[in-house]
Amino acid sequence: QVRLVESGGGSVQAGDSLRLSCAASERTFRSYVSGWFRQAPGKEREFVAAESQSGGVIIYTDSVKGRFTISRDNVKNTVYLQMNSLKPEDTAVYYCAADPELTTSRTFRYWGQGTQVTVSS
């Protein structure tokens, strides 16, 4: 069982930056793919980014390419999502996730509780 705890959300203006963090409870976290998803009000949860165990493969959804960066520190068992040039449409609850397999689907095995990001124009 991997427990994930997100932090770093908040309310910002369009164009600002935020960095989300996700702390994992297990040292074995390094053996899991890390991912970020988001869910806006009234919408389904959508894939944002994922990074393989070693960091060698990184995937982004098209709407965040060039603005968001996923990274991980396997010593600290922590995953990050650096979000730059934020837009109002980035407003959502952001979830950290972990899974043994690299995927962009919502079938990730472990999930955090989510952290709210609100971007105002």
Side-chain angles (χ1 to χ4, degrees):
Q1 183 79 10
V2 177
R3 288 186 294 122
L4 303 170
V5 180
E6 302 97 332
S7 62
S11 297
V12 297
Q13 298 285 325
D16 286 350
S17 298
L18 276 176
R19 188 176 81 156
L20 305 183
S21 299
C22 173
S25 62
E26 299 293 328
R27 294 177 183 176
T28 56
F29 179 69
R30 65 186 64 193
S31 66
Y32 290 89
V33 170
S34 59
W36 287 95
F37 288 73
R38 65 186 180 186
Q39 188 167 17
K43 295 187 177 180
E44 293 187 347
R45 191 171 300 188
E46 65 171 353
F47 170 80
V48 175
E51 183 173 7
S52 64
Q53 290 88 334
S54 64
V57 179
I58 293 177
I59 307 171
Y60 296 101
T61 191
D62 286 346
S63 62
V64 307
K65 285 180 180 177
R67 300 189 299 122
F68 290 13
T69 303
I70 187 173
S71 62
R72 62 191 296 161
D73 185 332
N74 284 336
V75 174
K76 296 182 178 180
N77 298 326
T78 302
V79 178
Y80 304 98
L81 186 67
Q82 177 67 42
M83 305 186 294
N84 298 330
S85 302
L86 282 162
K87 304 176 181 179
E89 51 263 44
D90 294 319
T91 295
V93 177
Y94 283 72
Y95 296 91
C96 175
D99 194 89
E101 301 293 331
L102 184 61
T103 177
T104 61
S105 75
R106 287 170 285 177
T107 58
F108 271 66
R109 185 176 300 180
Y110 302 109
W111 294 87
Q113 83 289 347
T115 185
Q116 177 71 46
V117 172
T118 302
V119 185
S120 56
S121 58

